Protein backbone atom coordinates (compact mmCIF):
# COMPACT_ATOMS: atom_id res chain seq x y z
CA UNK A 1 0.00 0.00 0.00
CA UNK A 2 1.57 3.29 -1.05
CA UNK A 3 -0.87 5.58 0.73
CA UNK A 4 -0.26 7.78 3.77
CA UNK A 5 0.19 5.71 6.91
CA UNK A 6 -0.04 6.75 10.54
CA UNK A 7 1.03 5.00 13.69
CA UNK A 8 -0.43 4.22 16.13
CA UNK A 9 -4.06 4.13 15.04
CA UNK A 10 -5.28 4.46 18.61
CA UNK A 11 -3.61 5.79 21.74
CA UNK A 12 -5.01 5.96 25.24
CA UNK A 13 -2.92 7.88 27.73
CA UNK A 14 -3.27 9.40 31.14
CA UNK A 15 -3.32 13.14 31.63
CA UNK A 16 0.18 14.53 32.01
CA UNK A 17 1.90 11.87 29.90
CA UNK A 18 3.74 12.57 26.66
CA UNK A 19 2.69 10.97 23.39
CA UNK A 20 4.27 10.83 19.95
CA UNK A 21 2.58 10.04 16.66
CA UNK A 22 4.21 9.15 13.37
CA UNK A 23 3.15 9.86 9.81
CA UNK A 24 4.66 8.35 6.68
CA UNK A 25 3.57 10.33 3.63
CA UNK A 26 3.41 9.10 0.08
CA UNK A 27 7.01 9.01 -1.13
CA UNK A 28 7.82 11.86 -3.57
CA UNK A 29 5.33 14.11 -1.76
CA UNK A 30 7.08 17.28 -0.63
CA UNK A 31 4.26 18.71 1.43
CA UNK A 32 3.11 17.18 4.71
CA UNK A 33 0.23 18.54 6.83
CA UNK A 34 -1.08 17.81 10.32
CA UNK A 35 -4.73 18.42 11.20
CA UNK A 36 -6.78 17.79 14.34
CA UNK A 37 -10.40 16.73 14.30
CA UNK A 38 -12.75 16.61 17.28
CA UNK A 39 -16.03 14.73 17.30
CA UNK A 40 -18.65 16.21 15.02
CA UNK A 41 -16.32 18.86 13.62
CA UNK A 42 -14.26 19.26 10.48
CA UNK A 43 -10.47 18.93 10.62
CA UNK A 44 -8.50 21.97 11.75
CA UNK A 45 -5.05 22.81 10.44
CA UNK A 46 -2.14 22.46 12.86
CA UNK A 47 1.08 22.74 10.87
CA UNK A 48 2.75 21.88 7.57
CA UNK A 49 6.15 21.06 6.15
CA UNK A 50 7.74 21.66 2.78
CA UNK A 51 10.38 18.95 2.71
CA UNK A 52 12.08 19.21 6.14
CA UNK A 53 11.16 22.86 6.76
CA UNK A 54 8.21 23.61 9.03
CA UNK A 55 6.68 26.62 7.33
CA UNK A 56 3.61 27.44 9.37
CA UNK A 57 2.05 26.61 12.69
CA UNK A 58 -1.52 27.28 13.75
CA UNK A 59 -2.31 29.09 16.97
CA UNK A 60 -3.93 25.79 17.97
CA UNK A 61 -0.43 24.37 18.28
CA UNK A 62 0.46 25.35 21.82
CA UNK A 63 3.99 25.10 23.18
CA UNK A 64 3.16 21.58 24.37
CA UNK A 65 3.01 20.47 20.75
CA UNK A 66 6.03 19.95 18.54
CA UNK A 67 6.34 18.50 15.08
CA UNK A 68 9.37 17.43 13.10
CA UNK A 69 10.18 16.10 9.68
CA UNK A 70 13.93 15.54 10.02
CA UNK A 71 14.81 14.11 6.62
CA UNK A 72 11.90 15.41 4.64
CA UNK A 73 10.23 12.01 4.69
CA UNK A 74 8.27 10.82 7.75
CA UNK A 75 7.03 13.26 10.39
CA UNK A 76 6.38 13.04 14.11
CA UNK A 77 3.95 15.01 16.24
CA UNK A 78 4.64 15.06 19.96
CA UNK A 79 2.28 16.29 22.66
CA UNK A 80 3.82 16.89 26.06
CA UNK A 81 1.89 16.92 29.34
CA UNK A 82 -1.32 15.82 27.66
CA UNK A 83 -4.63 17.31 28.76
CA UNK A 84 -8.13 15.93 28.33
CA UNK A 85 -8.79 18.64 25.75
CA UNK A 86 -6.14 17.06 23.54
CA UNK A 87 -8.43 14.07 22.93
CA UNK A 88 -9.10 14.09 19.20
CA UNK A 89 -8.27 12.43 15.91
CA UNK A 90 -4.91 13.58 14.56
CA UNK A 91 -4.78 13.42 10.78
CA UNK A 92 -1.77 13.60 8.52
CA UNK A 93 -1.94 14.46 4.83
CA UNK A 94 0.58 14.82 2.04
CA UNK A 95 0.56 16.40 -1.39
CA UNK A 96 2.98 16.27 -4.31
CA UNK A 97 4.10 19.88 -4.51
CA UNK A 98 3.18 23.40 -3.70
CA UNK A 99 -0.37 24.44 -4.26
CA UNK A 100 -3.28 23.37 -6.42
CA UNK A 101 -3.11 19.75 -5.45
CA UNK A 102 -5.42 17.49 -3.56
CA UNK A 103 -4.20 16.26 -0.22
CA UNK A 104 -4.02 12.57 0.52
CA UNK A 105 -5.02 11.75 4.07
CA UNK A 106 -3.89 8.96 6.34
CA UNK A 107 -6.30 6.96 8.52
CA UNK A 108 -5.58 9.14 11.55
CA UNK A 109 -4.48 8.51 15.13
CA UNK A 110 -7.29 8.57 17.68
CA UNK A 111 -5.99 9.99 20.98
CA UNK A 112 -7.92 9.55 24.20
CA UNK A 113 -6.61 11.30 27.30
CA UNK A 114 -8.09 9.96 30.53
CA UNK B 1 -11.55 28.72 12.94
CA UNK B 2 -13.74 27.02 10.36
CA UNK B 3 -14.29 29.02 7.21
CA UNK B 4 -16.77 26.78 5.48
CA UNK B 5 -20.29 26.13 6.53
CA UNK B 6 -22.12 23.15 5.18
CA UNK B 7 -25.83 22.98 4.77
CA UNK B 8 -27.65 20.90 5.80
CA UNK B 9 -25.83 19.52 8.82
CA UNK B 10 -27.62 16.21 8.35
CA UNK B 11 -29.47 14.69 5.40
CA UNK B 12 -31.41 11.43 5.26
CA UNK B 13 -32.65 10.07 1.92
CA UNK B 14 -33.74 6.83 0.30
CA UNK B 15 -31.48 4.81 -1.95
CA UNK B 16 -31.79 5.99 -5.54
CA UNK B 17 -32.58 9.59 -4.63
CA UNK B 18 -30.23 12.48 -5.27
CA UNK B 19 -28.40 14.21 -2.41
CA UNK B 20 -27.39 17.87 -2.53
CA UNK B 21 -25.04 19.47 -0.03
CA UNK B 22 -24.08 23.11 0.05
CA UNK B 23 -21.00 24.90 1.30
CA UNK B 24 -20.35 28.58 1.88
CA UNK B 25 -17.02 30.21 2.59
CA UNK B 26 -15.72 33.66 3.47
CA UNK B 27 -12.37 34.43 1.83
CA UNK B 28 -10.90 34.26 -1.65
CA UNK B 29 -9.86 30.80 -2.71
CA UNK B 30 -7.55 29.05 -5.14
CA UNK B 31 -9.65 25.94 -5.23
CA UNK B 32 -12.37 24.13 -3.29
CA UNK B 33 -12.32 20.44 -2.55
CA UNK B 34 -14.87 17.94 -1.31
CA UNK B 35 -13.91 15.07 0.95
CA UNK B 36 -15.78 12.11 2.33
CA UNK B 37 -15.23 10.49 5.72
CA UNK B 38 -16.67 7.26 6.97
CA UNK B 39 -17.19 7.08 10.71
CA UNK B 40 -13.87 7.05 12.58
CA UNK B 41 -11.81 6.91 9.41
CA UNK B 42 -9.54 9.23 7.43
CA UNK B 43 -10.73 11.52 4.67
CA UNK B 44 -11.06 10.47 1.06
CA UNK B 45 -10.69 13.10 -1.65
CA UNK B 46 -13.69 13.26 -3.99
CA UNK B 47 -13.24 16.20 -6.31
CA UNK B 48 -11.36 19.48 -6.70
CA UNK B 49 -12.74 22.52 -8.48
CA UNK B 50 -10.54 25.50 -9.27
CA UNK B 51 -11.60 29.10 -8.77
CA UNK B 52 -11.89 29.66 -12.52
CA UNK B 53 -14.18 26.66 -12.99
CA UNK B 54 -17.94 26.71 -12.52
CA UNK B 55 -18.88 23.06 -12.71
CA UNK B 56 -17.17 19.70 -12.61
CA UNK B 57 -18.32 16.11 -12.89
CA UNK B 58 -16.84 12.86 -11.66
CA UNK B 59 -18.96 9.73 -11.99
CA UNK B 60 -22.11 10.29 -9.93
CA UNK B 61 -20.72 13.50 -8.46
CA UNK B 62 -21.41 17.00 -9.71
CA UNK B 63 -19.82 20.03 -8.11
CA UNK B 64 -20.63 23.66 -8.79
CA UNK B 65 -18.74 26.73 -7.66
CA UNK B 66 -20.02 30.31 -7.53
CA UNK B 67 -17.16 32.56 -6.48
CA UNK B 68 -19.37 35.67 -6.53
CA UNK B 69 -21.56 34.10 -3.86
CA UNK B 70 -18.67 32.24 -2.23
CA UNK B 71 -20.60 29.01 -2.36
CA UNK B 72 -20.35 25.49 -3.73
CA UNK B 73 -22.66 22.53 -3.99
CA UNK B 74 -22.07 18.79 -4.21
CA UNK B 75 -24.69 16.65 -5.90
CA UNK B 76 -24.61 12.86 -5.58
CA UNK B 77 -26.96 11.25 -8.05
CA UNK B 78 -28.63 7.84 -7.69
CA UNK B 79 -27.42 7.48 -4.12
CA UNK B 80 -26.48 4.14 -2.61
CA UNK B 81 -26.41 2.91 0.97
CA UNK B 82 -22.60 2.86 0.67
CA UNK B 83 -22.65 6.65 0.19
CA UNK B 84 -23.57 7.02 3.87
CA UNK B 85 -20.77 9.15 5.35
CA UNK B 86 -19.84 12.68 6.37
CA UNK B 87 -19.02 15.06 3.54
CA UNK B 88 -16.76 18.06 4.01
CA UNK B 89 -15.92 20.97 1.79
CA UNK B 90 -12.45 22.43 2.17
CA UNK B 91 -11.04 25.63 0.74
CA UNK B 92 -7.47 26.22 -0.38
CA UNK B 93 -6.55 29.89 -0.31
CA UNK B 94 -3.36 29.29 -2.25
CA UNK B 95 0.34 29.63 -1.61
CA UNK B 96 0.01 32.56 0.79
CA UNK B 97 -1.54 30.12 3.24
CA UNK B 98 0.70 27.22 2.26
CA UNK B 99 -2.23 25.60 0.50
CA UNK B 100 -3.52 24.39 3.83
CA UNK B 101 -7.14 23.35 3.77
CA UNK B 102 -9.85 25.05 5.79
CA UNK B 103 -12.73 22.67 6.39
CA UNK B 104 -16.38 23.18 7.10
CA UNK B 105 -18.22 21.28 9.78
CA UNK B 106 -19.58 18.71 7.38
CA UNK B 107 -22.88 17.20 6.30
CA UNK B 108 -23.81 13.79 7.67
CA UNK B 109 -25.51 11.90 4.84
CA UNK B 110 -27.55 8.80 5.57
CA UNK B 111 -28.82 6.77 2.62
CA UNK B 112 -31.49 4.30 3.67
CA UNK B 113 -31.71 1.04 1.70
Amino acid sequence: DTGVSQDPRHKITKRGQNVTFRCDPISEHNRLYWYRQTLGQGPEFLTYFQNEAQLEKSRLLSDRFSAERPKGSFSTLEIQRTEQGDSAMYLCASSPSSGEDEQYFGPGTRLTVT
Amino acid sequence: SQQGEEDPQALSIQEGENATMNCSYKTSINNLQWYRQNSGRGLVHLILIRSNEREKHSGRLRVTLDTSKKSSSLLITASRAADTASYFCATDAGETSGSRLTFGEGTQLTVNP
Side-chain angles (χ1 to χ4, degrees):
Chain A
D1 187 344
T2 57
V4 178
S5 62
Q6 292 187 244
D7 182 68
R9 295 289 303 276
H10 303 273
K11 178 72 178 178
I12 300 173
T13 191
K14 292 185 178 179
R15 190 175 51 187
Q17 298 294 306
N18 300 343
V19 294
T20 300
F21 311 140
R22 177 180 170 124
C23 170
D24 285 89
I26 295 171
S27 58
E28 320 99 44
H29 281 192
N30 298 322
R31 287 270 174 112
L32 186 149
Y33 300 81
W34 285 99
Y35 294 86
R36 181 172 72 184
Q37 184 180 26
T38 53
L39 202 61
Q41 302 293 315
E44 293 179 291
F45 169 80
L46 292 179
T47 188
Y48 87 96
F49 293 83
Q50 173 80 30
N51 298 313
E52 66 275 7
Q54 187 175 17
L55 297 185
E56 189 175 350
K57 294 192 291 186
S58 162
R59 285 171 292 178
L60 291 174
L61 217 62
S62 74
D63 56 6
R64 297 184 297 105
F65 288 71
S66 62
E68 294 182 341
R69 194 183 183 197
K71 297 181 180 178
S73 56
F74 73 92
S75 175
T76 58
L77 177 68
E78 181 183 15
I79 309 174
Q80 296 182 327
R81 305 181 304 281
T82 52
E83 302 172 355
Q84 286 189 320
D86 297 331
S87 295
M89 175 81 90
Y90 289 84
L91 295 162
C92 175
S94 68
S95 67
S97 62
S98 59
E100 309 229 8
D101 290 310
E102 65 182 85
Q103 294 183 16
Y104 296 80
F105 280 81
T109 294
R110 166 80 62 191
L111 173 66
T112 303
V113 182
T114 61
Chain B
S1 63
Q2 298 289 336
Q3 164 165 244
E5 294 182 2
E6 275 100 338
D7 168 49
Q9 290 189 333
L11 180 61
S12 181
I13 59 174
Q14 295 299 122
E15 208 164 25
E17 294 180 340
N18 296 342
T20 300
M21 289 160 268
N22 302 298
C23 166
S24 60
Y25 58 92
K26 296 173 184 159
T27 63
S28 297
I29 62 170
N30 206 34
N31 65 67
L32 185 144
Q33 303 177 34
W34 285 89
Y35 286 82
R36 163 198 166 124
Q37 185 177 39
N38 288 82
S39 181
R41 303 288 186 91
L43 284 86
V44 175
H45 183 266
L46 295 177
I47 197 165
L48 180 154
I49 186 165
R50 304 193 190 286
S51 60
N52 61 354
E53 297 175 313
R54 291 297 167 257
E55 187 171 313
K56 205 161 183 180
H57 296 255
S58 176
R60 293 185 296 114
L61 306 180
R62 173 179 169 254
V63 169
T64 63
L65 178 64
D66 187 336
T67 53
S68 66
K69 294 181 179 177
K70 292 186 167 56
S71 66
S72 173
S73 68
L74 171 68
L75 169 67
I76 303 174
T77 59
S79 64
R80 306 166 182 167
D83 294 328
T84 295
S86 292
Y87 292 81
F88 294 92
C89 70
T91 53
D92 174 355
E95 269 309 290
T96 54
S97 67
S99 290
R100 65 182 185 187
L101 295 176
T102 302
F103 287 84
E105 295 186 350
T107 293
Q108 173 62 51
L109 173 66
T110 302
V111 182
N112 301 300

